[in-house]
């Protein structure tokens, strides 16, 4: 069996992991502390923050602008709408 590659380089950066790396990892039950395992097992997203999938028509320029910001662009649209709601009353638009 050949010696495994170090996980980090001389600067402390983690290298790209291989399939062999993942196979060599221990199971969470054997690696993580009990307290952390319990926290992860018992986590439930608060009901009022659960995302809901919807179809929404947005202008192309709006979508492209947010997509240009990279991963997480949909969450940033959600944050922008949440910010708008802090300053506006949607009922007044009717």
């Amino acid at each position: 069996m050949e010696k495994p590659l170090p996980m980090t380089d001389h600067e402390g950066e983690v290298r790209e992991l291989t399939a062999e790396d993942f196979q060599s990892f221990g199971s969470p039950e054997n690696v993580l502390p009990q307290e952390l395992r319990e926290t992860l097992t018992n986590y439930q997203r608060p009901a009022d923050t659960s995302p809901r999938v919807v179809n929404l028509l947005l202008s192309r320029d709006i979508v492209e602008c947010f997509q240009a910001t990279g991963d997480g662009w949909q969450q940033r649209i959600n944050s922008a709408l949440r910010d708008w709601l802090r300053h506006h009353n949607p009922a007044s638009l009717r």
Side-chain angles (χ1 to χ4, degrees):
M1 180 175 186
E2 63 184 73
K3 185 177 177 183
L5 294 171
M7 295 300 240
T8 58
D9 63 19
H10 65 281
E11 295 176 352
E13 293 292 320
V14 177
R15 66 175 169 77
E16 184 172 338
L17 300 178
T18 65
E20 291 79 23
D21 291 323
F22 286 103
Q23 289 175 348
S24 71
F25 293 156
S27 69
E29 293 80 22
N30 298 329
V31 179
L32 297 176
Q34 177 70 25
E35 183 178 320
L36 179 56
R37 285 195 316 252
E38 289 172 3
T39 300
L40 295 173
T41 302
N42 296 330
Y43 174 79
Q44 292 182 355
R45 182 190 303 266
D48 62 339
T49 61
S50 296
R52 182 174 173 195
V53 176
V54 297
N55 288 324
L56 179 65
L57 297 176
L58 299 171
S59 300
R60 181 182 306 270
D61 60 323
I62 299 292
V63 173
E64 289 173 354
C65 180
F66 276 92
Q67 284 178 328
T69 65
D71 290 345
W73 64 272
Q74 291 168 316
Q75 288 88 352
R76 284 188 286 283
I77 290 176
N78 190 72
S79 294
L81 290 169
R82 188 177 307 281
D83 184 59
W84 185 89
L85 285 172
R86 277 191 220 108
H87 301 97
H88 299 84
N89 179 3
S92 68
L93 299 175
R94 292 182 184 195

